[in-house]
Amino acid sequence: MAAAAAQPVAVFGCRPRVAGGVCFLEDRVVLHAAGAGCLRLHLEQKWRQFIPGTERSRGVRALAVSPNRRYLAVSEAVAERPVLTVYELSSVPARRRRTLDAAELPAQEAVSLAFSADCRYLAAAAAPPEGHLAVWLWEKQRLMAALRLQAPGSGVCQVSFGPQDNAQVCITGNGFFKLFKYSEGTLKQMNLQKGEPQNYLCHAWLSEKEVICGTDTGKLILFETGELRWETSVEYKKPPRELEEDATTEEYESLYALPACISSDVSCGLASEDNGSQQNALPQISAVAAYSKGFACSSSPGVVLLFEKTKEKEIYKESQEIWLPQDVFSSEPKKSGRQDILCICFSPSEETMVVNTNKNQLYMFTMLSTDLVKEKVAYFAYLNFPLHSASVTGLDICIWKPVLATCSLDRSVRIWNYKTKTLELYKEYREEAYTVSLHPTGLFCLVGFSDKLRFISLLYEDMHVFKEFAVRKCRECAFSNGGHLFAAVNGNVIQIYSSITFENINNLKGHSGKIHAVKWSADDAKFVSCDTRGAVYEWNLLTGERESECVLKSCIYSSIALSSDAKIIFAVGSDQTLKEISESSIQHEVPAFDVVYTAVAVPHSGHMVFVGTSLGTIRAMKYPLPLTKDFNEYQAHAGAVTKMSITSDDQFLLTASEDGSIFIWKVYDKEGGILKQEKEVEYAEEVLIMRSDIEEKILQAEKEKQELQHQFQLSELMDKQAREVQQLESDSNQKLLMENEKYQELQVKSQRMQEEYETQLHNLEENKSRAMKELTEYYEEKLNEKSILVAEAEESMRQQLQAHEEITKQIEEDEDREILEIKIKFERRLLEEKESNLQLKGEIGLMNKRLNSLQKELKDRNRDIEEMRMEEQKLQGIIESLEKFILALKTEIQERADTIQDEEKHIYDLKMKNQGLEKFKFVLDYRIEEFKKQIESRENDIKTMKEQIREMEGELERFHKESTQLKLNITQLQQKLKATDHEMHRERQKKQNMETLIKRFKRDLHNCVGFIQDSKKMKDGIRELYTKYVQQSDAVETEAVDTNLQQEYMRQREYLERNLAALKKKVVKDQEIHQVAYIRIVQENVSLIKEINDLRQELKMAHTQVHDLRSTLRLTKKKQAIQDTAPSSELLSSPAVLRLNAEKESEKIIEMQRLEIQYLRDQLQEKQQVLAVQPLVDGNLSRLNLERSHKTQQQ
């Protein structure tokens, strides 16, 4: 049987507050503390390699990487003693090279480590008040020097070697900055501390002599060879978005002034908030790191400042701010970016900067952007994805997808993919999350928060709360394997809900302690739970009862697991054992060897068991469980393991811990081979998405499509324009070439003409000289004449030469002028085209700028509109409250004026109505008598109707009894029918047996007839037949009797069948009659109850009128007594008024009587409609309606 083995393939987590907690091994490889060890991560290829820590380690406290990136030093605390370990990173996996004995450090742990420049020495520092500094020659495990640090207070401590000098050591802390020189086994201090002591939080070497230090008051101090050279104070920085909001708020307040009564309160509140924030917002340099251009430091939460070296008086000047981004999925996005940065490191090529925060997050920034884009403000990005920053309280997996869900006390819920090792979904809520369960489809999850249990839909890019249940502080919940049910722990009760209707189907009660774990069986028929009182219960969900239980009160169970057949329960708890429970008893107990098991998981194959301990280690053991220490133990987490789970294909083990880390383990057998899968697992690719998101995606796609179309059209226009420009250029070039060719031809022609003229001139000169030679003698006599002729000839020749030159010059000028005009013309056209092209480019740029500005303005306007809307709502609320107050005052004033006026009118009217009321008294007395008579008659009718109702109820009860008796008769007949069927079956069996016996007798008789020639054999055969079938006569008699019984049985059966059919018809008929009578009785009862209620209402109104009239009569008598004492002038004017009042009163009486007649007519019509379906009470109702109509006519 294969033993269990596991290897970590991915780690999601980062350990906070580790000195040097993140560093570069190569340009794209980062190392940081995670769990109980360190993690190597490649930024592009995303592979991970985990370096486990020392056995029983409580986690890494400090890290240091050697300058040549070959060695890693780790500081840990094991059994309250510091342990220093050096790993060789060049080997894969990293090999533990040396372990240094840190007994010379009296503290429990070393808080800072540093390698020397040649990687031979290792320095370790323990923080005050037990401050110590020690230097090792680590390869030989030799302590070279050690000293105690005298410091006024406790705090952060950092140690480092000089960048080139192995003997130079710098250490800073609360109240001290010291430079030491190692010489001959001792550390000698080189500097003298001057001035007031500062609390130095960090430092970094800028050069061989310069050290930059940061303090808790926001000061940056530069020391050169131990002497103060430069000092500056850094202000507390606010995020750029907050500064924009503050500026927008100030501008808005300047434009829209609040009322004085409100603005004073608001301004006071804002001032108090600002004062409180300023008191808490004190700058402090929490981290500093050097690079080639200067250094980087963190002066405020969420920001890193880059300082570059200058040649001015200010040696270093701030060049850029780099902010942590706001997390849009956080419940408080502004606070998500205000994390304390604890560590800064640069890659060897200084292309990338990585920081570590106090909330276990890692961020990166590409430094190339600072050279290419000179922006004052820039933003970090996540190194991979956001990590948990608090204890992981819940972990679960699903079947359809390779994902796991986790929740944490950091109020977040995350969905991870253990195949691709990525974070798929993440959202932060306002309440702490205690437990999570993933639906088998991977599309939904249950999360137990501190206030409610929420059913959440896992959308494509978000989590949507679909349903909430009033279960406070739900610590455990779990979906069934089929997904149709889920269980939630509410106090000591386990509530079972339907995943379809969300109804509470069942409540499992019986636990007396807090329930720590629940598990479903594979077929969802069983359910197992454990609590803090040592009880493990197995429930049957069909009945809701406990099937088995195992109670051990001395143990506080923390986790349970089930075998695939649900027959074996594995439980772990506080008693340091792993228990195997079956059939309500503990079958085996495996000791934990001085640790506490906190979680357990069993694969579906059942060949191995994995457990997590309180030290964060993972143990893998084979099944059946060994009683000896026969298991593989792996160092993983730095805190207790809270949750464990194994995937459905048994390929991966998933663990979570209190330190906020999540490990993904690959499961192997003992020989190192991967476990064989029974079948290839195919995962679903479906996701959920909201309709609004789809619409938004569609709108965005349409917008992108329009933008692409616009860009395409723009590119087409640009291409068209470029083609036109190119065509024009080619045309102009072609024309220029043609004109140039023409010019060259003309130039050749002119040159040829000039040569011809020169040739002619030369010939003429030769002819002249020859003629002169030939005719010298002839012309000596005629020398004068010939000289004249020669002179004339020369003159004509000169004139011809001048004319030729003028013609040549004119031709050249005309050609040059034409070429110049053509050139100017095409250059002008080319310039116009270039200008139009530039104009179009400018217009396009302007359009783009305008589009960007409009988009930015639109965003600003939307933000302004939203802020103005909120302010308007506030002001509107104030205005409405003030308007309501004014309206209330006006209403009160008006009401008081109306009341005064009404009172005066009322007094006057009362004086006028005294005599009218006396007359009206007689009429009211008469009507009172009439009402009394009506009440008596209606009470008699009510009595009669009550008697009828009682009679109907008696009849209904009689019908019920008859129906019950018929049902009993039917049951008896059915039983008789069953008995008859049974008897018939028995008779058929007898008949079949008899036929078989006859066949057997015939066969034996046939065999006996075969011996007819042998009398002896025939005699023996007949004897055998007689012996075998001797009961033949009895059988015949029995058959005859049975035949008579069968005939009697058939007659009885037919009679019972006829009776049964008659009874069925009677029952059906009685049911119909009963149904009709029941409906009629119900309708009559409803109508009678309605009439009784109407009569009661009328009686109540009559009583009220009588009481009012009596009160009015008494008031009238009193007023009459007062009026008798009034002066005679008033008496003289009163009769006309009284007479007019009496006429009005008579009109009112007539109107009231008409209304009463109309009301009684309506009642009469309603009663007549009711009488149509109430034949039993026709006489009474008709009589009642006649009496009422008669009384109405009398009135």
Side-chain angles (χ1 to χ4, degrees):
M1 187 176 294
Q7 180 181 349
V9 294
V11 180
F12 304 131
C14 178
R15 186 168 173 80
R17 304 196 179 279
V18 176
V22 58
C23 47
F24 275 91
L25 302 181
E26 299 175 13
D27 273 338
R28 308 305 294 170
V29 179
V30 176
L31 183 139
H32 65 87
C38 302
L39 181 69
R40 284 198 286 194
L41 171 65
H42 198 285
L43 299 181
E44 293 178 352
Q45 300 176 8
K46 304 300 181 184
W47 53 258
R48 297 170 175 83
Q49 292 178 357
F50 181 68
I51 304 173
T54 309
E55 186 177 354
R56 292 182 176 268
S57 169
R58 293 187 301 176
V60 178
R61 189 65 182 86
L63 293 177
V65 175
S66 62
N68 59 7
R69 319 284 178 179
R70 288 187 57 190
Y71 304 108
L72 168 68
V74 179
S75 170
E76 300 169 285
V78 179
E80 299 183 356
R81 288 191 59 193
V83 174
L84 304 181
T85 309
V86 179
Y87 294 88
E88 186 174 352
L89 298 175
S90 58
S91 61
V92 180
R95 181 170 59 90
R96 185 172 299 182
R97 182 74 175 269
R98 293 287 186 272
T99 300
L100 305 180
D101 185 9
E104 290 79 7
L105 294 175
Q108 294 184 3
E109 55 192 10
V111 297
S112 181
L113 299 175
F115 277 98
S116 61
D118 61 356
C119 308
R120 294 179 59 199
Y121 297 97
L122 177 66
E130 300 175 351
H132 273 73
L133 174 62
V135 179
W136 277 273
L137 185 63
W138 62 269
E139 287 189 346
K140 297 183 179 180
Q141 298 181 343
R142 183 192 304 169
L143 178 65
M144 304 301 294
L147 59 85
R148 181 177 177 84
L149 298 174
Q150 300 293 335
S154 60
V156 181
C157 180
Q158 183 181 353
V159 65
S160 63
F161 277 95
Q164 296 179 3
D165 190 356
N166 297 335
Q168 196 172 10
V169 181
C170 176
I171 185 168
T172 56
N174 188 359
F176 61 90
F177 165 76
K178 296 182 180 182
L179 288 173
F180 293 97
K181 188 79 171 179
Y182 173 73
S183 176
E184 297 178 358
T186 59
L187 291 170
K188 297 179 181 180
Q189 186 171 348
M190 298 170 55
N191 66 321
L192 294 176
Q193 195 163 346
K194 299 178 182 179
E196 295 182 0
Q198 301 280 347
N199 184 5
Y200 298 101
L201 301 179
C202 53
H203 73 265
W205 290 83
L206 301 181
S207 65
E208 186 178 355
K209 297 180 179 180
E210 292 181 343
V211 180
I212 188 75
C213 298
T215 70
D216 63 346
T217 58
K219 289 184 179 181
L220 287 170
I221 303 174
L222 180 65
F223 293 96
E224 186 173 0
T225 63
E227 298 295 329
L228 176 63
R229 183 184 176 191
W230 175 71
E231 180 179 347
T232 186
S233 294
V234 184
E235 296 181 354
Y236 184 84
K237 299 287 185 178
K238 279 190 176 182
R241 294 187 179 89
E242 291 186 9
L243 293 176
E244 291 176 3
E245 292 175 0
D246 294 343
T248 306
T249 306
E250 290 176 1
E251 182 180 358
Y252 180 74
E253 289 178 354
S254 63
L255 292 174
Y256 302 97
L258 293 174
C261 60
I262 303 167
S263 61
S264 60
D265 297 336
V266 175
S267 61
C268 292
L270 292 174
S272 62
E273 291 179 1
D274 292 340
N275 292 333
S277 62
Q278 288 176 2
Q279 290 175 1
N280 296 327
L282 296 177
Q284 64 175 11
I285 311 299
S286 59
V288 65
Y291 71 111
S292 59
K293 294 182 180 180
F295 64 91
C297 69
S298 175
S299 62
S300 306
V303 65
V304 172
L305 307 179
L306 294 182
F307 284 82
E308 294 184 358
K309 194 168 186 178
T310 63
K311 297 181 180 179
E312 302 174 0
K313 184 179 179 181
E314 292 288 335
I315 301 177
Y316 290 93
K317 187 176 181 181
E318 180 185 340
S319 61
Q320 194 174 21
E321 297 177 7
I322 308 172
W323 288 89
L324 297 183
Q326 291 187 3
D327 193 347
V328 295
F329 295 104
S330 174
S331 59
E332 296 177 345
K334 290 184 178 179
K335 291 185 179 180
S336 65
R338 306 293 283 167
Q339 304 177 38
D340 292 333
I341 296 174
L342 304 179
C343 183
I344 305 173
C345 69
F346 291 91
S347 63
S349 62
E350 296 184 354
E351 294 180 358
T352 308
M353 175 173 56
V354 174
V355 298
N356 181 17
T357 70
N358 63 331
K359 291 189 177 179
N360 304 14
Q361 305 301 324
L362 294 169
Y363 296 90
M364 65 178 293
F365 178 73
T366 303
M367 295 293 291
L368 291 177
S369 60
T370 60
D371 298 330
L372 299 176
V373 182
K374 292 292 185 180
E375 294 181 355
K376 180 65 177 176
V377 177
Y379 291 93
F380 283 97
Y382 280 107
L383 185 67
N384 269 332
F385 27 74
L387 305 170
H388 281 300
S389 59
S391 174
V392 179
T393 56
L395 182 147
D396 196 19
I397 58 173
C398 69
I399 300 174
W400 283 28
K401 295 183 177 183
V403 297
L404 67 145
T406 60
C407 65
S408 171
L409 295 181
D410 60 6
R411 303 179 298 179
S412 68
V413 179
R414 301 165 197 258
I415 307 298
W416 312 83
N417 191 313
Y418 57 81
K419 286 283 189 181
T420 61
K421 305 175 185 62
T422 56
L423 178 66
E424 292 193 348
L425 274 180
Y426 155 62
K427 192 166 185 179
E428 189 172 314
Y429 295 86
R430 295 186 179 276
E431 296 83 19
E432 292 182 347
Y434 297 131
T435 181
V436 66
S437 179
L438 204 55
H439 194 269
T441 60
L443 301 177
F444 310 97
C445 72
L446 271 176
V447 184
F449 292 96
S450 57
D451 59 343
K452 290 181 181 179
L453 176 68
R454 290 178 171 86
F455 189 95
I456 298 175
S457 299
L458 303 178
L459 306 180
Y460 176 61
E461 292 178 341
D462 195 9
M463 298 183 187
H464 174 67
V465 177
F466 183 75
K467 182 75 174 177
E468 292 184 345
F469 302 91
V471 181
R472 291 178 60 83
K473 294 184 179 180
C474 178
R475 299 284 179 175
E476 288 294 329
C477 65
F479 275 105
S480 62
N481 293 304
H484 60 293
L485 300 173
F486 65 86
V489 174
N490 189 357
N492 298 338
V493 179
I494 302 172
Q495 297 178 342
I496 307 297
Y497 291 88
S498 169
S499 301
I500 310 301
T501 62
F502 300 112
E503 295 179 355
N504 186 2
I505 298 175
N506 206 341
N507 291 326
L508 308 180
K509 300 178 181 179
H511 282 284
S512 60
K514 291 183 179 180
I515 301 171
H516 271 183
V518 292
K519 291 290 180 183
W520 293 83
S521 62
D523 57 358
D524 295 334
K526 294 181 181 180
F527 190 78
V528 181
S529 59
C530 67
D531 62 14
T532 57
R533 299 290 181 87
V536 177
Y537 293 154
E538 183 178 346
W539 308 84
N540 188 331
L541 294 180
L542 298 178
T543 61
E545 301 294 333
R546 282 194 302 236
E547 281 194 352
S548 65
E549 61 181 37
C550 179
V551 180
L552 183 64
K553 293 185 177 180
S554 61
C555 178
I556 300 174
Y557 287 112
S558 58
S559 178
I560 55 175
L562 289 178
S563 60
S564 57
D565 56 1
K567 294 182 179 179
I568 301 174
I569 303 171
F570 298 92
V572 295
S574 60
D575 59 351
Q576 299 185 0
T577 58
L578 169 63
K579 299 177 180 61
E580 181 182 349
I581 302 173
S582 63
E583 298 178 357
S584 302
S585 63
I586 300 173
Q587 303 295 331
H588 296 93
E589 282 190 88
V590 178
F593 303 101
D594 299 330
V595 296
V596 176
Y597 287 146
T598 58
V600 61
V602 179
H604 298 81
S605 62
H607 296 161
M608 57 190 75
V609 178
F610 295 94
V611 290
T613 69
S614 58
L615 298 178
T617 59
I618 305 298
R619 291 182 178 179
M621 56 188 72
K622 62 183 180 180
Y623 184 80
L625 299 175
L627 298 178
T628 60
K629 199 172 183 180
D630 184 14
F631 51 78
N632 296 323
E633 186 167 12
Y634 304 97
Q635 301 294 321
H637 302 280
V641 179
T642 55
K643 297 291 179 181
M644 296 181 69
S645 186
I646 296 180
T647 58
S648 57
D649 56 359
D650 292 347
Q651 295 294 309
F652 295 96
L653 169 68
L654 313 171
T655 62
S657 172
E658 291 178 353
D659 64 354
S661 63
I662 301 166
F663 276 67
I664 299 177
W665 305 78
K666 190 73 173 178
V667 180
Y668 299 91
D669 58 14
K670 190 173 183 181
E671 288 75 21
I674 302 174
L675 294 178
K676 294 182 180 179
Q677 300 183 22
E678 294 181 359
K679 58 181 179 179
E680 186 68 24
V681 179
E682 295 182 359
Y683 295 109
E685 298 293 336
E686 291 82 2
V687 293
L688 296 178
I689 188 167
M690 298 284 285
R691 185 184 295 275
S692 59
D693 294 340
I694 295 176
E695 294 174 353
E696 185 178 353
K697 294 282 185 186
I698 293 171
L699 291 175
Q700 188 175 0
E702 291 179 355
K703 184 179 178 182
E704 291 177 355
K705 186 178 179 181
Q706 291 177 358
E707 289 180 354
L708 289 174
Q709 290 179 355
H710 174 69
Q711 291 178 359
F712 180 71
Q713 292 175 358
L714 187 63
S715 63
E716 284 184 348
L717 289 174
M718 294 290 291
D719 294 340
K720 185 178 179 182
Q721 185 182 6
R723 286 195 300 271
E724 290 178 354
V725 171
Q726 188 175 4
Q727 185 67 29
L728 289 174
E729 288 179 353
S730 63
D731 293 342
S732 61
N733 291 330
Q734 189 174 2
K735 289 181 179 179
L736 284 173
L737 288 173
M738 291 174 65
E739 295 297 330
N740 192 13
E741 288 177 357
K742 288 181 180 179
Y743 172 73
Q744 289 178 357
E745 289 177 357
L746 290 172
Q747 192 173 7
V748 170
K749 186 176 180 181
S750 64
Q751 188 175 3
R752 189 184 306 113
M753 290 175 67
Q754 187 175 2
E755 290 176 353
E756 289 177 356
Y757 281 117
E758 288 179 354
T759 304
Q760 290 178 5
L761 182 62
H762 182 67
N763 292 332
L764 287 174
E765 288 179 353
E766 287 181 351
N767 291 331
K768 183 187 73 172
S769 61
R770 187 170 55 253
M772 286 178 68
K773 288 179 181 178
E774 288 177 355
L775 299 174
T776 302
E777 294 178 355
Y778 176 79
Y779 284 103
E780 284 179 354
E781 295 177 355
K782 299 179 179 181
L783 183 61
N784 294 329
E785 295 178 0
K786 293 294 179 182
S787 59
I788 294 170
L789 291 174
V790 170
E792 290 177 355
E794 288 178 354
E795 185 67 25
S796 63
M797 184 183 65
R798 187 168 57 253
Q799 289 178 357
Q800 288 179 1
L801 284 173
Q802 289 178 357
H804 174 69
E805 288 177 355
E806 287 179 359
I807 291 170
T808 304
K809 186 177 180 181
Q810 188 68 31
I811 290 171
E812 288 178 355
E813 288 179 355
D814 291 341
E815 292 296 330
D816 289 339
R817 190 183 302 109
E818 187 176 358
I819 290 169
L820 184 61
E821 288 177 357
I822 293 171
K823 185 178 179 181
I824 291 169
K825 179 180 177 182
F826 282 104
E827 284 179 351
R828 188 183 297 112
R829 288 183 64 183
L830 181 62
L831 184 62
E832 289 175 358
E833 292 296 332
K834 287 182 178 179
E835 288 177 353
S836 64
N837 191 8
L838 290 174
Q839 186 178 0
L840 288 174
K841 288 181 179 180
E843 289 178 358
I844 291 168
L846 289 174
M847 292 297 289
N848 290 330
K849 289 181 180 178
R850 188 177 178 186
L851 178 62
N852 294 329
S853 63
L854 286 175
Q855 289 178 351
K856 186 176 181 182
E857 186 178 355
L858 181 61
K859 291 180 181 178
D860 296 339
R861 289 295 176 86
N862 289 334
R863 186 170 65 251
D864 294 342
I865 288 168
E866 188 64 27
E867 293 174 355
M868 291 170 69
R869 187 180 292 112
M870 294 175 65
E871 192 68 26
E872 182 184 0
Q873 289 177 358
K874 293 180 183 178
L875 295 175
Q876 192 66 30
I878 296 168
I879 290 167
E880 288 178 358
S881 62
L882 293 175
E883 286 179 352
K884 288 180 181 178
F885 184 66
I886 293 168
L887 184 61
L889 292 175
K890 287 182 179 180
T891 306
E892 187 177 356
I893 292 168
Q894 186 66 29
E895 286 178 354
R896 290 186 180 179
D898 293 342
T899 305
I900 293 168
Q901 189 176 359
D902 291 341
E903 290 294 332
E904 291 176 353
K905 271 184 167 184
H906 187 61
I907 292 168
Y908 182 74
D909 292 338
L910 287 175
K911 289 179 181 179
M912 295 297 188
K913 288 181 181 178
N914 286 332
Q915 291 183 357
L917 290 173
E918 288 291 339
K919 293 181 180 180
F920 192 56
K921 178 185 176 184
F922 176 74
V923 177
L924 292 176
D925 290 337
Y926 177 75
R927 293 194 66 183
I928 288 167
E929 293 296 330
E930 291 294 328
F931 281 133
K932 286 181 178 178
K933 291 178 182 178
Q934 290 181 7
I935 289 166
E936 290 176 358
S937 63
R938 290 182 181 181
E939 285 180 351
N940 294 329
D941 294 338
I942 288 167
K943 289 180 181 179
T944 306
M945 291 176 183
K946 284 183 178 179
E947 290 177 357
Q948 290 179 358
I949 289 168
R950 281 196 295 271
E951 291 175 358
M952 291 176 183
E953 287 178 350
E955 187 177 356
L956 181 63
E957 187 176 359
R958 188 172 65 256
F959 284 153
H960 278 300
K961 289 181 180 180
E962 290 177 358
S963 177
T964 305
Q965 186 63 34
L966 289 173
K967 288 180 180 179
L968 292 173
N969 293 335
I970 290 168
T971 304
Q972 291 176 359
L973 291 173
Q974 288 176 350
Q975 291 176 354
K976 291 180 180 179
L977 184 61
K978 287 181 180 179
T980 305
D981 290 338
H982 183 68
E983 187 67 25
M984 185 176 65
H985 181 71
R986 190 170 65 249
E987 292 297 329
R988 285 178 180 173
Q989 188 66 33
K990 287 181 180 180
K991 179 183 177 184
Q992 188 176 2
N993 295 335
M994 188 58 67
E995 289 176 353
T996 304
L997 184 64
I998 291 170
K999 287 180 181 179
R1000 198 183 303 130
F1001 175 73
K1002 287 180 178 180
R1003 188 174 59 252
D1004 294 340
L1005 183 61
H1006 179 72
N1007 294 332
C1008 185
V1009 169
F1011 300 110
I1012 195 169
Q1013 300 298 330
D1014 192 349
S1015 59
K1016 186 176 181 181
K1017 288 184 178 180
M1018 189 174 181
K1019 181 179 179 181
D1020 295 335
I1022 291 171
R1023 187 180 294 110
E1024 288 178 0
L1025 287 174
Y1026 176 78
T1027 305
K1028 190 172 182 180
Y1029 303 103
V1030 68
Q1031 291 90 358
Q1032 183 175 5
S1033 60
D1034 296 337
V1036 172
E1037 292 177 359
T1038 305
E1039 184 177 359
V1041 173
D1042 291 342
T1043 304
N1044 294 330
L1045 288 174
Q1046 188 172 4
Q1047 291 177 356
E1048 182 65 24
Y1049 167 73
M1050 293 300 294
R1051 285 196 299 273
Q1052 292 290 334
R1053 178 182 176 186
E1054 291 176 357
Y1055 172 72
L1056 290 174
E1057 287 178 351
R1058 286 196 298 272
N1059 288 341
L1060 180 60
L1063 288 172
K1064 283 184 179 179
K1065 290 180 181 178
K1066 187 177 181 182
V1067 167
V1068 172
K1069 188 174 181 180
D1070 290 342
Q1071 284 180 351
E1072 291 176 355
I1073 296 170
H1074 170 69
Q1075 186 70 20
V1076 172
Y1078 179 73
I1079 293 171
R1080 176 174 52 79
I1081 290 167
V1082 170
Q1083 291 176 351
E1084 290 174 358
N1085 194 7
V1086 170
S1087 62
L1088 291 174
I1089 290 170
K1090 184 177 180 182
E1091 187 172 0
I1092 290 167
N1093 291 331
D1094 293 339
L1095 291 174
R1096 286 176 178 171
Q1097 189 68 25
E1098 290 178 3
L1099 180 61
K1100 186 176 180 181
M1101 291 173 62
H1103 283 304
T1104 305
Q1105 290 179 359
V1106 170
H1107 183 268
D1108 293 341
L1109 290 173
R1110 287 177 179 173
S1111 301
T1112 307
L1113 184 59
R1114 285 196 297 271
L1115 183 62
T1116 304
K1117 287 180 180 180
K1118 290 181 182 179
K1119 296 296 182 178
Q1120 187 65 32
I1122 295 169
Q1123 192 176 9
D1124 293 338
T1125 59
S1128 60
S1129 61
E1130 187 177 351
L1131 291 172
L1132 291 174
S1133 61
S1134 61
V1137 177
L1138 290 173
R1139 193 163 48 251
L1140 181 61
N1141 197 10
E1143 291 176 359
K1144 290 182 179 179
E1145 291 295 332
S1146 62
E1147 290 176 0
K1148 287 183 179 179
I1149 292 168
I1150 292 169
E1151 185 65 27
M1152 291 174 66
Q1153 288 178 352
R1154 286 177 181 172
L1155 292 173
E1156 182 68 20
I1157 291 168
Q1158 185 64 33
Y1159 171 75
L1160 293 174
R1161 284 177 179 172
D1162 294 340
Q1163 292 290 325
L1164 181 62
Q1165 289 178 1
E1166 291 179 359
K1167 298 302 177 184
Q1168 286 176 355
Q1169 292 176 0
V1170 172
L1171 286 174
V1173 292
Q1174 294 181 356
L1176 294 179
V1177 291
D1178 283 344
N1180 295 330
L1181 291 178
S1182 61
R1183 186 167 60 252
L1184 180 63
N1185 292 328
L1186 289 173
E1187 291 177 357
R1188 185 178 296 168
S1189 63
H1190 178 66
K1191 290 176 182 178
T1192 304
Q1193 291 175 1
Q1194 288 179 357
Q1195 292 178 359

